Amino acid sequence: MGAYQTVAVGTDGSESSFRAVDRAATIAADSKAQLLIICAYKPAKSTGEAEQALGEDAAFHVVGSTPAEETLRDARERAASKGSTDIDTVAVQGDPIERVIEVVTDRKADLVVVGNRGLNSLAGRLLGSVPQGISRRAGSDVLIVHTT
């Protein structure tokens, strides 16, 4: 098994999840891997028309009503400060766990980093669904970072 190529991490804007981003960024920097930062959000309460008009610019809110793009910008800055240079961010609408698994599978990430708090349901679902889920579908290692 060589170095990791793509390291994925989910963030919800919490300090705990940012610590997972820090760890993922350090690993990505050491492996010269791409870092993929994923933020799932719930759509803002707005009419379909307004949403279509705004398109990509619409501010969607994640947990704690922080817009996903803002969360990802902060996460990218933190990751860059840890030496990660190849950083891609993805904002996805819907259930954080389902969307993270989808993106990780789609992008063939070979390491997924999750915090043990905030996203602990993610860690639980990833591990609980390892046979059916992420590691079989994406061939990923899962690293749980103690962020508490």
Side-chain angles (χ1 to χ4, degrees):
M1 199 57 203
Y4 293 115
Q5 304 293 305
T6 305
V7 177
V9 61
T11 180
D12 58 9
S14 65
E15 184 55 38
S16 168
S17 75
F18 277 155
R19 283 200 280 278
V21 169
D22 289 347
R23 178 65 59 85
T26 302
I27 294 166
D30 289 347
S31 305
K32 297 186 173 36
Q34 180 181 56
L35 177 65
L36 183 59
I37 308 172
I38 309 159
C39 180
Y41 59 85
K42 297 188 190 84
K45 301 269 187 292
S46 66
T47 65
E49 277 172 76
E51 229 167 87
Q52 279 174 343
L54 286 167
E56 295 290 292
D57 299 323
F60 291 104
H61 301 299
V62 296
V63 180
S65 76
T66 310
E69 295 299 341
E70 199 174 289
T71 296
L72 288 169
R73 213 170 21 249
D74 293 346
R76 179 190 284 273
E77 282 171 18
R78 286 187 70 136
S81 76
K82 296 287 176 194
S84 188
T85 52
D86 184 0
I87 305 168
D88 196 9
T89 56
V90 184
V92 283
Q93 185 177 325
D95 177 72
I97 294 151
E98 294 301 323
R99 293 292 87 81
V100 167
I101 290 173
E102 267 174 31
V103 173
V104 162
T105 305
D106 184 51
R107 299 291 288 271
K108 298 180 171 56
D110 40 18
L111 177 66
V112 184
V113 178
V114 290
N116 69 330
R117 206 194 105 227
L119 289 170
N120 62 358
S121 56
L122 175 58
R125 284 269 286 277
L126 284 173
L127 295 174
S129 68
V130 164
Q132 273 65 281
I134 196 155
S135 76
R136 185 170 288 175
R137 297 207 316 250
S140 304
D141 289 350
V142 177
L143 172 67
I144 300 173
V145 181
H146 286 274
T147 55
T148 45

